[in-house]
Amino acid sequence: MANPIYILNGPNLNLLGSREPEVYGIETLVDLEQRCVRKAQRLGRTVDFRQSNTEGDLVGWIQEARTNASGLIVNAGAYTHTSIAILDALLACKVPIVEVHLSNIFTREPFRHRSYVSQAAKGVICGLGGLGYELAIEAVAAAVSDA
Ligand code: CA2
């Protein structure tokens, strides 16, 4: 059995569906997870979908992905724009990495335009809501089978 694709979600993404639907849509995090599970199944893959509000949890999970994941999809939430610790962990992780954001970070406040995560990512998808997660799974699955 191939290793799962890790899908890591950062702070406040547990609030999806409860506020700011005009920015983040109406899907809850559970809806998003189910969508990812179904997409992965269609591609013959599995996902391990997690969320934490704590930077250290995300760093630990990225370290775990080095040996236990076939690929990594990261929406680091606001840590995207601030966390060198998450960048360093990602740089040490040699599996294919795709960065995803529900909203288009480039049409929002200037502080959201910079992403540390992008420096370690094979590709970046933003502004497509939950569909972006499905596209990221497709990209990681393709990168894994090319390897
Ligand atoms: O667009 C994205 O996916 C973000 O990563 C979401 C982060 C934000 O800080 C990034 O700049 C872009 C914030 C997630 C907060 O999610 C909420 C969802 C519903 C209600 C409140 C917050």
Side-chain angles (χ1 to χ4, degrees), residues 29-77:
L29 195 66
V30 171
D31 295 334
L32 196 54
E33 175 171 11
Q34 286 170 352
R35 190 170 175 162
C36 290
V37 168
R38 282 196 298 269
K39 174 69 182 184
Q41 268 170 357
R42 291 198 292 275
L43 295 172
R45 307 274 169 183
T46 58
V47 296
D48 191 331
F49 189 99
R50 305 180 190 182
Q51 187 275 334
S52 176
N53 293 326
T54 304
E55 189 175 20
D57 287 345
L58 294 163
V59 169
W61 291 341
I62 294 164
Q63 290 184 7
E64 188 186 304
R66 297 168 70 211
T67 49
N68 294 2
S70 59
L72 185 54
I73 294 168
V74 189
N75 182 352

mmCIF file of all heavy atoms in Angstrom, residues 29-77:
data_model
loop_
_atom_site.group_PDB
_atom_site.id
_atom_site.type_symbol
_atom_site.label_atom_id
_atom_site.label_comp_id
_atom_site.label_asym_id
_atom_site.label_seq_id
_atom_site.Cartn_x
_atom_site.Cartn_y
_atom_site.Cartn_z
ATOM 1 N N LEU A 29 -14.657 22.179 7.161
ATOM 2 C CA LEU A 29 -13.404 21.418 7.038
ATOM 3 C C LEU A 29 -13.704 19.927 6.822
ATOM 4 O O LEU A 29 -12.999 19.249 6.080
ATOM 5 C CB LEU A 29 -12.543 21.633 8.291
ATOM 6 C CG LEU A 29 -11.084 21.200 8.153
ATOM 7 C CD1 LEU A 29 -10.334 22.064 7.148
ATOM 8 C CD2 LEU A 29 -10.381 21.233 9.513
ATOM 9 N N VAL A 30 -14.783 19.451 7.458
ATOM 10 C CA VAL A 30 -15.179 18.039 7.288
ATOM 11 C C VAL A 30 -15.621 17.797 5.833
ATOM 12 O O VAL A 30 -15.257 16.792 5.213
ATOM 13 C CB VAL A 30 -16.292 17.656 8.293
ATOM 14 C CG1 VAL A 30 -16.857 16.271 7.981
ATOM 15 C CG2 VAL A 30 -15.744 17.683 9.713
ATOM 16 N N ASP A 31 -16.388 18.757 5.280
ATOM 17 C CA ASP A 31 -16.783 18.638 3.858
ATOM 18 C C ASP A 31 -15.545 18.552 2.970
ATOM 19 O O ASP A 31 -15.471 17.754 2.040
ATOM 20 C CB ASP A 31 -17.587 19.864 3.389
ATOM 21 C CG ASP A 31 -18.925 20.023 4.080
ATOM 22 O OD1 ASP A 31 -19.478 18.999 4.533
ATOM 23 O OD2 ASP A 31 -19.408 21.171 4.166
ATOM 24 N N LEU A 32 -14.580 19.418 3.287
ATOM 25 C CA LEU A 32 -13.355 19.487 2.481
ATOM 26 C C LEU A 32 -12.582 18.168 2.578
ATOM 27 O O LEU A 32 -12.076 17.656 1.579
ATOM 28 C CB LEU A 32 -12.514 20.662 2.997
ATOM 29 C CG LEU A 32 -11.390 21.179 2.109
ATOM 30 C CD1 LEU A 32 -11.903 21.540 0.726
ATOM 31 C CD2 LEU A 32 -10.760 22.412 2.774
ATOM 32 N N GLU A 33 -12.528 17.636 3.796
ATOM 33 C CA GLU A 33 -11.828 16.355 3.978
ATOM 34 C C GLU A 33 -12.510 15.255 3.150
ATOM 35 O O GLU A 33 -11.839 14.482 2.459
ATOM 36 C CB GLU A 33 -11.808 15.955 5.467
ATOM 37 C CG GLU A 33 -11.207 14.578 5.661
ATOM 38 C CD GLU A 33 -10.961 14.216 7.124
ATOM 39 O OE1 GLU A 33 -11.442 14.946 8.012
ATOM 40 O OE2 GLU A 33 -10.281 13.199 7.351
ATOM 41 N N GLN A 34 -13.848 15.214 3.210
ATOM 42 C CA GLN A 34 -14.571 14.168 2.467
ATOM 43 C C GLN A 34 -14.331 14.299 0.968
ATOM 44 O O GLN A 34 -14.151 13.317 0.251
ATOM 45 C CB GLN A 34 -16.066 14.227 2.785
ATOM 46 C CG GLN A 34 -16.354 13.690 4.187
ATOM 47 C CD GLN A 34 -17.777 13.959 4.642
ATOM 48 O OE1 GLN A 34 -18.540 14.679 3.972
ATOM 49 N NE2 GLN A 34 -18.150 13.412 5.779
ATOM 50 N N ARG A 35 -14.299 15.557 0.519
ATOM 51 C CA ARG A 35 -14.040 15.824 -0.896
ATOM 52 C C ARG A 35 -12.655 15.287 -1.294
ATOM 53 O O ARG A 35 -12.476 14.689 -2.351
ATOM 54 C CB ARG A 35 -14.100 17.340 -1.058
ATOM 55 C CG ARG A 35 -14.089 17.825 -2.449
ATOM 56 C CD ARG A 35 -14.403 19.315 -2.444
ATOM 57 N NE ARG A 35 -14.268 19.784 -3.797
ATOM 58 C CZ ARG A 35 -14.766 20.909 -4.253
ATOM 59 N NH1 ARG A 35 -15.435 21.707 -3.452
ATOM 60 N NH2 ARG A 35 -14.594 21.273 -5.494
ATOM 61 N N CYS A 36 -11.670 15.502 -0.416
ATOM 62 C CA CYS A 36 -10.293 15.049 -0.688
ATOM 63 C C CYS A 36 -10.205 13.523 -0.668
ATOM 64 O O CYS A 36 -9.536 12.923 -1.510
ATOM 65 C CB CYS A 36 -9.329 15.644 0.336
ATOM 66 S SG CYS A 36 -9.090 17.420 0.118
ATOM 67 N N VAL A 37 -10.891 12.908 0.297
ATOM 68 C CA VAL A 37 -10.882 11.441 0.389
ATOM 69 C C VAL A 37 -11.440 10.847 -0.909
ATOM 70 O O VAL A 37 -10.865 9.923 -1.494
ATOM 71 C CB VAL A 37 -11.705 10.968 1.615
ATOM 72 C CG1 VAL A 37 -11.967 9.468 1.570
ATOM 73 C CG2 VAL A 37 -10.988 11.345 2.909
ATOM 74 N N ARG A 38 -12.561 11.414 -1.369
ATOM 75 C CA ARG A 38 -13.205 10.891 -2.599
ATOM 76 C C ARG A 38 -12.308 11.083 -3.814
ATOM 77 O O ARG A 38 -12.154 10.187 -4.648
ATOM 78 C CB ARG A 38 -14.566 11.576 -2.826
ATOM 79 C CG ARG A 38 -15.675 11.038 -1.949
ATOM 80 C CD ARG A 38 -17.042 11.445 -2.479
ATOM 81 N NE ARG A 38 -17.199 12.900 -2.472
ATOM 82 C CZ ARG A 38 -17.712 13.582 -1.441
ATOM 83 N NH1 ARG A 38 -18.102 12.959 -0.351
ATOM 84 N NH2 ARG A 38 -17.831 14.897 -1.508
ATOM 85 N N LYS A 39 -11.690 12.260 -3.914
ATOM 86 C CA LYS A 39 -10.809 12.543 -5.062
ATOM 87 C C LYS A 39 -9.634 11.558 -5.069
ATOM 88 O O LYS A 39 -9.278 11.005 -6.111
ATOM 89 C CB LYS A 39 -10.294 13.989 -4.975
ATOM 90 C CG LYS A 39 -9.274 14.363 -6.027
ATOM 91 C CD LYS A 39 -9.908 14.420 -7.404
ATOM 92 C CE LYS A 39 -8.885 14.741 -8.472
ATOM 93 N NZ LYS A 39 -9.496 14.885 -9.793
ATOM 94 N N ALA A 40 -9.040 11.363 -3.893
ATOM 95 C CA ALA A 40 -7.892 10.453 -3.796
ATOM 96 C C ALA A 40 -8.313 9.032 -4.181
ATOM 97 O O ALA A 40 -7.590 8.351 -4.919
ATOM 98 C CB ALA A 40 -7.317 10.485 -2.382
ATOM 99 N N GLN A 41 -9.485 8.619 -3.706
ATOM 100 C CA GLN A 41 -9.974 7.257 -4.033
ATOM 101 C C GLN A 41 -10.058 7.058 -5.535
ATOM 102 O O GLN A 41 -9.660 6.025 -6.065
ATOM 103 C CB GLN A 41 -11.365 7.033 -3.436
ATOM 104 C CG GLN A 41 -11.331 6.404 -2.057
ATOM 105 C CD GLN A 41 -12.709 6.413 -1.397
ATOM 106 O OE1 GLN A 41 -13.690 6.933 -1.948
ATOM 107 N NE2 GLN A 41 -12.787 5.855 -0.200
ATOM 108 N N ARG A 42 -10.569 8.083 -6.235
ATOM 109 C CA ARG A 42 -10.707 7.973 -7.701
ATOM 110 C C ARG A 42 -9.350 7.809 -8.369
ATOM 111 O O ARG A 42 -9.250 7.286 -9.465
ATOM 112 C CB ARG A 42 -11.439 9.204 -8.268
ATOM 113 C CG ARG A 42 -12.914 9.278 -7.885
ATOM 114 C CD ARG A 42 -13.692 10.231 -8.787
ATOM 115 N NE ARG A 42 -13.322 11.631 -8.610
ATOM 116 C CZ ARG A 42 -13.836 12.433 -7.669
ATOM 117 N NH1 ARG A 42 -14.721 11.967 -6.804
ATOM 118 N NH2 ARG A 42 -13.452 13.686 -7.582
ATOM 119 N N LEU A 43 -8.294 8.285 -7.701
ATOM 120 C CA LEU A 43 -6.940 8.200 -8.274
ATOM 121 C C LEU A 43 -6.157 7.009 -7.692
ATOM 122 O O LEU A 43 -4.953 6.881 -7.934
ATOM 123 C CB LEU A 43 -6.181 9.498 -8.006
ATOM 124 C CG LEU A 43 -6.745 10.759 -8.679
ATOM 125 C CD1 LEU A 43 -6.025 12.007 -8.173
ATOM 126 C CD2 LEU A 43 -6.627 10.660 -10.190
ATOM 127 N N GLY A 44 -6.843 6.203 -6.893
ATOM 128 C CA GLY A 44 -6.161 5.044 -6.290
ATOM 129 C C GLY A 44 -5.179 5.435 -5.202
ATOM 130 O O GLY A 44 -4.202 4.734 -4.956
ATOM 131 N N ARG A 45 -5.453 6.555 -4.546
ATOM 132 C CA ARG A 45 -4.571 7.054 -3.471
ATOM 133 C C ARG A 45 -5.359 7.181 -2.175
ATOM 134 O O ARG A 45 -6.588 7.156 -2.172
ATOM 135 C CB ARG A 45 -4.012 8.445 -3.817
ATOM 136 C CG ARG A 45 -3.339 8.526 -5.156
ATOM 137 C CD ARG A 45 -1.904 8.107 -5.054
ATOM 138 N NE ARG A 45 -1.317 7.939 -6.374
ATOM 139 C CZ ARG A 45 -0.081 7.522 -6.574
ATOM 140 N NH1 ARG A 45 0.698 7.232 -5.552
ATOM 141 N NH2 ARG A 45 0.393 7.385 -7.786
ATOM 142 N N THR A 46 -4.618 7.418 -1.086
ATOM 143 C CA THR A 46 -5.277 7.742 0.180
ATOM 144 C C THR A 46 -4.720 9.068 0.685
ATOM 145 O O THR A 46 -3.620 9.475 0.292
ATOM 146 C CB THR A 46 -5.027 6.666 1.256
ATOM 147 O OG1 THR A 46 -3.620 6.540 1.454
ATOM 148 C CG2 THR A 46 -5.624 5.334 0.854
ATOM 149 N N VAL A 47 -5.504 9.724 1.538
ATOM 150 C CA VAL A 47 -5.037 10.974 2.144
ATOM 151 C C VAL A 47 -5.076 10.871 3.662
ATOM 152 O O VAL A 47 -5.878 10.131 4.233
ATOM 153 C CB VAL A 47 -5.869 12.203 1.691
ATOM 154 C CG1 VAL A 47 -5.729 12.449 0.200
ATOM 155 C CG2 VAL A 47 -7.325 12.074 2.075
ATOM 156 N N ASP A 48 -4.193 11.624 4.285
ATOM 157 C CA ASP A 48 -4.216 11.797 5.743
ATOM 158 C C ASP A 48 -4.402 13.296 5.945
ATOM 159 O O ASP A 48 -3.502 14.081 5.677
ATOM 160 C CB ASP A 48 -2.889 11.286 6.319
ATOM 161 C CG ASP A 48 -2.936 11.176 7.833
ATOM 162 O OD1 ASP A 48 -3.681 11.957 8.458
ATOM 163 O OD2 ASP A 48 -2.218 10.327 8.376
ATOM 164 N N PHE A 49 -5.616 13.680 6.359
ATOM 165 C CA PHE A 49 -6.055 15.085 6.368
ATOM 166 C C PHE A 49 -6.049 15.591 7.809
ATOM 167 O O PHE A 49 -6.705 15.007 8.670
ATOM 168 C CB PHE A 49 -7.464 15.129 5.785
ATOM 169 C CG PHE A 49 -8.017 16.489 5.500
ATOM 170 C CD1 PHE A 49 -7.994 17.019 4.212
ATOM 171 C CD2 PHE A 49 -8.611 17.236 6.516
ATOM 172 C CE1 PHE A 49 -8.540 18.264 3.940
ATOM 173 C CE2 PHE A 49 -9.165 18.487 6.252
ATOM 174 C CZ PHE A 49 -9.129 18.992 4.954
ATOM 175 N N ARG A 50 -5.308 16.643 8.076
ATOM 176 C CA ARG A 50 -5.173 17.139 9.457
ATOM 177 C C ARG A 50 -5.268 18.665 9.509
ATOM 178 O O ARG A 50 -4.964 19.344 8.533
ATOM 179 C CB ARG A 50 -3.809 16.742 10.030
ATOM 180 C CG ARG A 50 -3.525 15.252 9.962
ATOM 181 C CD ARG A 50 -2.172 14.935 10.538
ATOM 182 N NE ARG A 50 -1.790 13.557 10.273
ATOM 183 C CZ ARG A 50 -0.662 12.995 10.696
ATOM 184 N NH1 ARG A 50 0.203 13.699 11.410
ATOM 185 N NH2 ARG A 50 -0.386 11.747 10.409
ATOM 186 N N GLN A 51 -5.633 19.155 10.688
ATOM 187 C CA GLN A 51 -5.655 20.621 10.925
ATOM 188 C C GLN A 51 -5.146 20.904 12.315
ATOM 189 O O GLN A 51 -5.455 20.170 13.274
ATOM 190 C CB GLN A 51 -7.102 21.144 10.777
ATOM 191 C CG GLN A 51 -7.250 22.656 10.837
ATOM 192 C CD GLN A 51 -7.364 23.225 12.269
ATOM 193 O OE1 GLN A 51 -7.806 22.514 13.179
ATOM 194 N NE2 GLN A 51 -6.954 24.458 12.461
ATOM 195 N N SER A 52 -4.353 21.966 12.441
ATOM 196 C CA SER A 52 -3.959 22.420 13.774
ATOM 197 C C SER A 52 -3.843 23.938 13.791
ATOM 198 O O SER A 52 -3.477 24.564 12.791
ATOM 199 C CB SER A 52 -2.618 21.816 14.184
ATOM 200 O OG SER A 52 -2.226 22.352 15.447
ATOM 201 N N ASN A 53 -4.122 24.498 14.967
ATOM 202 C CA ASN A 53 -3.932 25.944 15.165
ATOM 203 C C ASN A 53 -2.533 26.243 15.685
ATOM 204 O O ASN A 53 -2.206 27.409 15.934
ATOM 205 C CB ASN A 53 -4.980 26.461 16.158
ATOM 206 C CG ASN A 53 -6.378 26.380 15.574
ATOM 207 O OD1 ASN A 53 -6.565 26.557 14.374
ATOM 208 N ND2 ASN A 53 -7.375 26.102 16.412
ATOM 209 N N THR A 54 -1.702 25.202 15.846
ATOM 210 C CA THR A 54 -0.399 25.338 16.498
ATOM 211 C C THR A 54 0.738 25.110 15.499
ATOM 212 O O THR A 54 0.783 24.075 14.813
ATOM 213 C CB THR A 54 -0.293 24.299 17.643
ATOM 214 O OG1 THR A 54 -1.402 24.492 18.518
ATOM 215 C CG2 THR A 54 1.000 24.428 18.402
ATOM 216 N N GLU A 55 1.656 26.057 15.430
ATOM 217 C CA GLU A 55 2.771 25.989 14.475
ATOM 218 C C GLU A 55 3.615 24.721 14.678
ATOM 219 O O GLU A 55 4.000 24.048 13.719
ATOM 220 C CB GLU A 55 3.636 27.244 14.650
ATOM 221 C CG GLU A 55 4.707 27.437 13.607
ATOM 222 C CD GLU A 55 5.436 28.758 13.792
ATOM 223 O OE1 GLU A 55 5.386 29.333 14.910
ATOM 224 O OE2 GLU A 55 6.068 29.222 12.830
ATOM 225 N N GLY A 56 3.889 24.382 15.958
ATOM 226 C CA GLY A 56 4.730 23.219 16.261
ATOM 227 C C GLY A 56 4.113 21.911 15.779
ATOM 228 O O GLY A 56 4.828 21.001 15.359
ATOM 229 N N ASP A 57 2.778 21.808 15.842
ATOM 230 C CA ASP A 57 2.122 20.600 15.327
ATOM 231 C C ASP A 57 2.394 20.465 13.831
ATOM 232 O O ASP A 57 2.699 19.383 13.334
ATOM 233 C CB ASP A 57 0.599 20.673 15.510
ATOM 234 C CG ASP A 57 0.156 20.505 16.953
ATOM 235 O OD1 ASP A 57 0.971 20.047 17.776
ATOM 236 O OD2 ASP A 57 -1.011 20.843 17.232
ATOM 237 N N LEU A 58 2.277 21.586 13.131
ATOM 238 C CA LEU A 58 2.472 21.553 11.672
ATOM 239 C C LEU A 58 3.907 21.177 11.340
ATOM 240 O O LEU A 58 4.167 20.347 10.463
ATOM 241 C CB LEU A 58 2.090 22.913 11.062
ATOM 242 C CG LEU A 58 0.592 23.243 11.200
ATOM 243 C CD1 LEU A 58 0.332 24.724 10.988
ATOM 244 C CD2 LEU A 58 -0.240 22.428 10.227
ATOM 245 N N VAL A 59 4.885 21.743 12.078
ATOM 246 C CA VAL A 59 6.305 21.401 11.866
ATOM 247 C C VAL A 59 6.514 19.906 12.116
ATOM 248 O O VAL A 59 7.161 19.217 11.311
ATOM 249 C CB VAL A 59 7.212 22.260 12.777
ATOM 250 C CG1 VAL A 59 8.638 21.731 12.766
ATOM 251 C CG2 VAL A 59 7.179 23.722 12.339
ATOM 252 N N GLY A 60 5.945 19.391 13.190
ATOM 253 C CA GLY A 60 6.092 17.965 13.515
ATOM 254 C C GLY A 60 5.499 17.078 12.425
ATOM 255 O O GLY A 60 6.085 16.066 12.040
ATOM 256 N N TRP A 61 4.329 17.462 11.933
ATOM 257 C CA TRP A 61 3.675 16.646 10.890
ATOM 258 C C TRP A 61 4.473 16.702 9.581
ATOM 259 O O TRP A 61 4.541 15.712 8.854
ATOM 260 C CB TRP A 61 2.248 17.141 10.657
ATOM 261 C CG TRP A 61 1.328 16.880 11.811
ATOM 262 C CD1 TRP A 61 1.509 15.978 12.825
ATOM 263 C CD2 TRP A 61 0.082 17.532 12.067
ATOM 264 N NE1 TRP A 61 0.454 16.031 13.687
ATOM 265 C CE2 TRP A 61 -0.439 16.962 13.258
ATOM 266 C CE3 TRP A 61 -0.651 18.520 11.429
ATOM 267 C CZ2 TRP A 61 -1.660 17.361 13.803
ATOM 268 C CZ3 TRP A 61 -1.862 18.932 11.952
ATOM 269 C CH2 TRP A 61 -2.360 18.352 13.142
ATOM 270 N N ILE A 62 5.047 17.844 9.268
ATOM 271 C CA ILE A 62 5.867 17.952 8.040
ATOM 272 C C ILE A 62 7.098 17.044 8.189
ATOM 273 O O ILE A 62 7.476 16.330 7.254
ATOM 274 C CB ILE A 62 6.265 19.422 7.762
ATOM 275 C CG1 ILE A 62 5.023 20.249 7.422
ATOM 276 C CG2 ILE A 62 7.296 19.499 6.633
ATOM 277 C CD1 ILE A 62 5.227 21.755 7.503
ATOM 278 N N GLN A 63 7.691 17.023 9.378
ATOM 279 C CA GLN A 63 8.837 16.119 9.610
ATOM 280 C C GLN A 63 8.410 14.662 9.448
ATOM 281 O O GLN A 63 9.118 13.844 8.870
ATOM 282 C CB GLN A 63 9.431 16.357 10.989
ATOM 283 C CG GLN A 63 10.141 17.693 11.104
ATOM 284 C CD GLN A 63 10.812 17.873 12.453
ATOM 285 O OE1 GLN A 63 10.867 16.956 13.268
ATOM 286 N NE2 GLN A 63 11.302 19.067 12.702
ATOM 287 N N GLU A 64 7.231 14.340 9.961
ATOM 288 C CA GLU A 64 6.696 12.975 9.844
ATOM 289 C C GLU A 64 6.483 12.605 8.367
ATOM 290 O O GLU A 64 6.715 11.462 7.959
ATOM 291 C CB GLU A 64 5.363 12.959 10.604
ATOM 292 C CG GLU A 64 4.724 11.634 10.786
ATOM 293 C CD GLU A 64 3.328 11.828 11.423
ATOM 294 O OE1 GLU A 64 3.209 12.447 12.510
ATOM 295 O OE2 GLU A 64 2.359 11.353 10.816
ATOM 296 N N ALA A 65 6.065 13.589 7.576
ATOM 297 C CA ALA A 65 5.791 13.341 6.150
ATOM 298 C C ALA A 65 7.042 12.921 5.390
ATOM 299 O O ALA A 65 6.953 12.234 4.368
ATOM 300 C CB ALA A 65 5.199 14.602 5.510
ATOM 301 N N ARG A 66 8.218 13.280 5.889
ATOM 302 C CA ARG A 66 9.469 12.909 5.200
ATOM 303 C C ARG A 66 9.550 11.398 4.997
ATOM 304 O O ARG A 66 10.058 10.929 3.997
ATOM 305 C CB ARG A 66 10.693 13.351 6.022
ATOM 306 C CG ARG A 66 10.770 14.855 6.186
ATOM 307 C CD ARG A 66 11.797 15.235 7.235
ATOM 308 N NE ARG A 66 13.139 14.977 6.756
ATOM 309 C CZ ARG A 66 14.169 14.641 7.530
ATOM 310 N NH1 ARG A 66 14.004 14.508 8.817
ATOM 311 N NH2 ARG A 66 15.346 14.458 7.013
ATOM 312 N N THR A 67 9.057 10.638 5.980
ATOM 313 C CA THR A 67 9.153 9.178 5.875
ATOM 314 C C THR A 67 7.802 8.500 5.669
ATOM 315 O O THR A 67 7.747 7.393 5.155
ATOM 316 C CB THR A 67 9.787 8.590 7.161
ATOM 317 O OG1 THR A 67 9.105 9.144 8.299
ATOM 318 C CG2 THR A 67 11.266 8.925 7.235
ATOM 319 N N ASN A 68 6.718 9.162 6.053
ATOM 320 C CA ASN A 68 5.423 8.452 6.069
ATOM 321 C C ASN A 68 4.445 8.873 4.965
ATOM 322 O O ASN A 68 3.375 8.296 4.863
ATOM 323 C CB ASN A 68 4.717 8.664 7.416
ATOM 324 C CG ASN A 68 5.480 8.021 8.559
ATOM 325 O OD1 ASN A 68 6.548 7.453 8.346
ATOM 326 N ND2 ASN A 68 4.946 8.103 9.761
ATOM 327 N N ALA A 69 4.803 9.911 4.190
ATOM 328 C CA ALA A 69 3.872 10.404 3.162
ATOM 329 C C ALA A 69 4.469 10.207 1.774
ATOM 330 O O ALA A 69 5.696 10.211 1.608
ATOM 331 C CB ALA A 69 3.569 11.881 3.394
ATOM 332 N N SER A 70 3.575 10.073 0.777
ATOM 333 C CA SER A 70 4.078 10.026 -0.611
ATOM 334 C C SER A 70 4.137 11.435 -1.186
ATOM 335 O O SER A 70 4.847 11.684 -2.166
ATOM 336 C CB SER A 70 3.191 9.121 -1.469
ATOM 337 O OG SER A 70 1.865 9.601 -1.455
ATOM 338 N N GLY A 71 3.404 12.343 -0.623
ATOM 339 C CA GLY A 71 3.399 13.740 -1.074
ATOM 340 C C GLY A 71 2.727 14.581 -0.009
ATOM 341 O O GLY A 71 2.118 14.045 0.928
ATOM 342 N N LEU A 72 2.820 15.890 -0.188
ATOM 343 C CA LEU A 72 2.342 16.795 0.869
ATOM 344 C C LEU A 72 1.585 17.974 0.242
ATOM 345 O O LEU A 72 2.091 18.605 -0.690
ATOM 346 C CB LEU A 72 3.582 17.288 1.623
ATOM 347 C CG LEU A 72 3.429 18.153 2.848
ATOM 348 C CD1 LEU A 72 2.530 17.499 3.875
ATOM 349 C CD2 LEU A 72 4.812 18.392 3.446
ATOM 350 N N ILE A 73 0.392 18.211 0.766
ATOM 351 C CA ILE A 73 -0.388 19.392 0.365
ATOM 352 C C ILE A 73 -0.520 20.254 1.610
ATOM 353 O O ILE A 73 -0.906 19.752 2.672
ATOM 354 C CB ILE A 73 -1.763 18.957 -0.192
ATOM 355 C CG1 ILE A 73 -1.549 18.178 -1.502
ATOM 356 C CG2 ILE A 73 -2.664 20.171 -0.406
ATOM 357 C CD1 ILE A 73 -2.781 17.446 -1.988
ATOM 358 N N VAL A 74 -0.161 21.519 1.493
ATOM 359 C CA VAL A 74 -0.135 22.382 2.678
ATOM 360 C C VAL A 74 -0.947 23.647 2.452
ATOM 361 O O VAL A 74 -0.685 24.399 1.498
ATOM 362 C CB VAL A 74 1.313 22.858 3.001
ATOM 363 C CG1 VAL A 74 1.349 23.553 4.354
ATOM 364 C CG2 VAL A 74 2.289 21.723 2.981
ATOM 365 N N ASN A 75 -1.911 23.875 3.330
ATOM 366 C CA ASN A 75 -2.508 25.200 3.474
ATOM 367 C C ASN A 75 -2.145 25.633 4.888
ATOM 368 O O ASN A 75 -2.823 25.260 5.859
ATOM 369 C CB ASN A 75 -4.026 25.162 3.286
ATOM 370 C CG ASN A 75 -4.627 26.558 3.402
ATOM 371 O OD1 ASN A 75 -3.942 27.517 3.770
ATOM 372 N ND2 ASN A 75 -5.910 26.670 3.093
ATOM 373 N N ALA A 76 -1.074 26.396 4.996
ATOM 374 C CA ALA A 76 -0.560 26.753 6.325
ATOM 375 C C ALA A 76 -1.316 27.936 6.933
ATOM 376 O O ALA A 76 -0.904 28.452 7.978
ATOM 377 C CB ALA A 76 0.935 27.043 6.238
ATOM 378 N N GLY A 77 -2.437 28.361 6.296
ATOM 379 C CA GLY A 77 -3.203 29.484 6.841
ATOM 380 C C GLY A 77 -2.298 30.702 6.975
ATOM 381 O O GLY A 77 -1.406 30.940 6.149
#
